[in-house]
Structure formats: C-alpha cells, structure tokens
Amino acid sequence: MSLELTATVGEEWVGERIDRFLKSALGDEISRSSVQKWIDDLCVRTAEGLEINKSSYKVQLGEVFLIQIPPKPPLNLEPIRMDLEVLKESPEYLIIRKPPGIASHSGPGDRSVSLVNGLLYRFKELSQLGGEARPGIVHRLDKPTEGLMIIAKNDFAHSKLGELFRSRNIVKKYLAWVQGSLPEGEGVIDLPIARHPNERLKMTISPKGRPSRTLYKILKTVSSKSGRKFSLVEATLETGRTHQIRVHFQSQKAPIVGDLLYSKNAQLFMSFGLMLLSYHLSFQDPFTGENVSVTLPLPERFQKFETGIDKF
C-alpha cells in the first residue's frame, strides 16, 4: 500500500530545485536519490494535478506538492564492502564509527545502502534480536549523524547491551556546532518530546511527549564578520529519544548547523553536513566488568567549519 506525503514551499526554498526542496522537506531518512527516482517515476505532482518529471524543476512560494510513496521494496540486506572504523572489538560486541550520511539501517521509503550492508560484509556473526532489517543494531544514530555505535554479535549480547541503555548505565556524549547561543555556559534542557502532529518525519516539544533530558556545556562561542554567533557545545544524553539533541537545541533557538530538518537556513552549510558527532561512550562491560571508554577526536569537517566561520 502506497503512502502520500505533502510538502509546501516556504520562502527560503523559492527558486530551488524540487529534488533539493523535497529532500529537506521529507527529512533525513529519505535520500535525494530516492526523491529523484520518485520524480522519474511520476510519483510527484502539484496539488492541481500537474505531474513533475524533472528533478531540475524550480519550486515557487506556496506551491503544494503531493508525493505518492511507492510500496516498500524488498529489504536490502546484501553484504557490501564498506570502510568501517572499528574502535573496539570483543567476542560479544563491537564499537564502530558510523560515517555521516549513511543510515544505521533501512528506513521508511529508503532502501538505499545502510550501515547494515557494511556490517554484513565484514562480520560473520551479528545479533538478530532487533529484527530482520537490523542485524547487530542495538541503538541507532540519525542518518546525517556521525559517531560511535555499539554493535552486538549475538542475541545474548544484544539483550545485555540493550539493558545498559534502558537502565541508563551508559554515558553518551555528543559534540555539536549550533547557531546562536544557548542560555548560560551550561545547563539542562528538560522538555518532553513527541512525534510532530503534522510532519511525520519530525519530532517536536509537546506536553504529551515522553520525558527527555539533555545536559549541555558550551565549549566555545565564535562570531562571524556579519555578527552571526556559533557555539561548539558538548551534550550529554540522560534519555535517548528520536532526534533528542536536535529538537532540544532547536527549541532554544540554537539549531544544529546543517540540520535540514530543524533549521531554516541549513542549506547555507550543506557542504559540511549535519554538525553533530557522537564522540564519547563509556560503560561497564556487562561481560567482563571492565570500564570501557571510547572517545573520538574532532573530525576535520568540524575544524574546517570553525576556520571558515567568518564567511557566514
């Protein structure tokens, strides 16, 4: 059964290609190549019924597009060679670095290559507890987010590692460049998060949402020549809701740089990607009792962004 989505053109997208506009409007889980294929297959039309058959079509203010998402194709579970950095390996689990721009696993409307394909190519044993489409996946990172993930090699390990997350006995820290300044030098954002009532791929702050807590610390603030402020922030998750850091920072008028889903001017920073890194994990190994701590250095793209802030 197909699914129909709606997208309306705002001022910031006037004159842009329709494939770029729809990629932003539909969220991180949808790839631009998927959008282009839908256009080629005549799955996109205006509210007036005009079929769009070119990805280069320029959108206009207020245009409403209807996207008929085709039925899901078979799961893409082919092993595919992928350059994966392994930071720690034990008989029960792995800690890897997920590259930015690749989904942890296949998502709605997107069966493009995911981290799972690379895991299946490199590792013979992966847990199946998370379901057929998610071998080894204990927890996930958003498609544009880079950083540390724990991968389970068997179902028993998956169960034990999953308990670490459920009991909050694992420290998860992120680094992010945000636009603007968060209140004070450090603080807590304690706001409930729920699925957005109108935009199914987004989350939002809602009194009906699940409790969500993010601790943050501003590491540095830099101003561009035009007066824009950007802050490098460390965020520690006390809960693990979908898009939690992204939604919490956006709620404070400090969206993450390059966030196509929650920032209005994200297209200015598209060459850098989403500036969010899962850079630190620490926990007590449930199998050996040892204290495990893994920390990533700042990626080159984070450093390039900082050195080029003046031009923004």
Side-chain angles (χ1 to χ4, degrees), residues 4-10 12-13 16-32 35 38 44 59 63-67 69 195-196 198-203 243 246 259-264 266-267 270:
E4 187 171 85
L5 300 179
T6 303
T8 304
V9 180
E12 67 274 22
W13 286 100
E16 273 288 0
R17 290 169 55 106
I18 189 170
D19 56 345
R20 291 186 62 188
F21 162 66
L22 290 179
K23 167 69 184 79
S24 174
L26 298 179
D28 299 328
E29 299 299 328
I30 306 297
S31 69
R32 190 170 170 186
V35 171
W38 295 338
V44 179
V59 302
E63 273 190 301
V64 178
F65 294 97
L66 307 178
I67 307 95
I69 308 295
R195 181 70 60 181
H196 196 287
N198 301 318
E199 301 177 67
R200 61 180 294 275
L201 297 176
K202 294 178 71 172
M203 308 299 288
H243 298 177
R246 300 163 68 184
D259 193 337
L260 291 171
L261 205 54
Y262 297 102
S263 177
K264 292 182 179 179
Q267 63 270 23
M270 285 184 70

Side-chain angles (χ1 to χ4, degrees), residues 217-261:
K217 181 190 299 182
I218 299 175
L219 304 180
K220 66 172 72 174
T221 298
V222 183
S223 296
S224 68
K225 287 181 178 178
S226 66
R228 274 197 177 117
K229 285 186 176 180
F230 299 90
S231 297
L232 180 64
V233 182
E234 179 187 78
T236 302
L237 292 182
E238 287 197 352
T239 54
R241 311 305 178 207
T242 299
H243 298 177
Q244 178 173 319
I245 295 175
R246 300 163 68 184
V247 173
H248 271 174
F249 284 177
Q250 190 252 1
S251 75
Q252 305 302 303
K253 296 181 170 54
I256 296 176
V257 171
D259 193 337
L260 291 171
L261 205 54

Side-chain angles (χ1 to χ4, degrees), residues 298-310:
L298 205 62
E300 183 180 356
R301 64 191 180 96
F302 273 56
Q303 300 173 45
K304 283 185 175 179
F305 173 75
E306 182 176 357
T307 58
I309 277 177
D310 265 355

Side-chain angles (χ1 to χ4, degrees), residues 46-306:
T46 66
E48 291 75 28
L50 175 66
E51 290 182 337
I52 306 300
N53 59 9
K54 291 184 178 180
S55 295
S56 59
Y57 178 91
K58 301 298 177 62
V59 302
Q60 301 302 317
L61 181 64
E63 273 190 301
V64 178
F65 294 97
L66 307 178
I67 307 95
Q68 197 77 30
I69 308 295
K72 294 180 181 179
L75 290 173
N76 178 3
L77 294 177
E78 291 296 319
I80 296 176
R81 186 181 183 89
M82 193 177 293
D83 185 18
L84 295 178
E85 184 179 358
V86 178
L87 285 304
K88 177 179 172 60
E89 182 169 5
S90 80
E92 290 82 19
Y93 64 88
L94 313 146
I95 299 179
I96 66 159
R97 180 180 191 148
K98 185 187 87 65
I102 183 169
S104 300
H105 52 80
S106 296
D110 187 354
R111 289 295 185 269
S112 57
V113 173
S114 71
L115 179 66
V116 163
N117 299 105
L119 293 173
L120 289 170
Y121 182 90
R122 181 144 178 202
F123 304 105
K124 293 181 180 179
E125 295 182 10
L126 293 170
S127 71
Q128 300 298 316
L129 205 59
E132 181 187 5
R134 306 181 183 187
I137 304 295
V138 180
H139 64 117
R140 64 184 290 275
L141 293 178
D142 297 336
K143 186 172 184 176
T145 303
E146 177 181 1
L148 298 171
M149 285 184 63
I150 302 175
I151 306 298
K153 290 185 174 181
N154 56 67
D155 288 353
F156 179 68
H158 193 131
S159 176
K160 298 290 283 185
L161 293 166
E163 181 56 31
L164 284 179
F165 287 92
R166 288 190 294 274
S167 62
R168 302 179 187 175
N169 286 322
I170 184 165
V171 177
K172 299 174 287 181
K173 294 186 178 183
Y174 292 71
L175 292 174
W177 274 106
V178 303
Q179 301 178 62
S181 299
L182 289 160
E184 305 299 331
E186 58 183 80
V188 178
I189 304 173
D190 191 348
L191 295 170
I193 293 175
R195 181 70 60 181
H196 196 287
N198 301 318
E199 301 177 67
R200 61 180 294 275
L201 297 176
K202 294 178 71 172
M203 308 299 288
T204 190
I205 302 300
S206 169
K208 297 180 180 179
R210 300 173 69 189
S212 309
R213 277 175 62 90
T214 303
L215 283 63
Y216 69 85
K217 181 190 299 182
I218 299 175
L219 304 180
K220 66 172 72 174
T221 298
V222 183
S223 296
S224 68
K225 287 181 178 178
S226 66
R228 274 197 177 117
K229 285 186 176 180
F230 299 90
S231 297
L232 180 64
V233 182
E234 179 187 78
T236 302
L237 292 182
E238 287 197 352
T239 54
R241 311 305 178 207
T242 299
H243 298 177
Q244 178 173 319
I245 295 175
R246 300 163 68 184
V247 173
H248 271 174
F249 284 177
Q250 190 252 1
S251 75
Q252 305 302 303
K253 296 181 170 54
I256 296 176
V257 171
D259 193 337
L260 291 171
L261 205 54
Y262 297 102
S263 177
K264 292 182 179 179
N265 65 350
Q267 63 270 23
L268 294 175
F269 313 104
M270 285 184 70
S271 63
F272 298 99
L274 179 70
M275 301 299 281
L276 180 62
L277 173 74
S278 172
Y279 90 105
H280 175 85
L281 288 175
S282 55
F283 56 94
Q284 186 177 51
D285 189 309
F287 309 100
T288 67
E290 72 169 315
N291 291 321
V292 176
S293 181
V294 180
T295 303
L296 292 174
L298 205 62
E300 183 180 356
R301 64 191 180 96
F302 273 56
Q303 300 173 45
K304 283 185 175 179
F305 173 75
E306 182 176 357

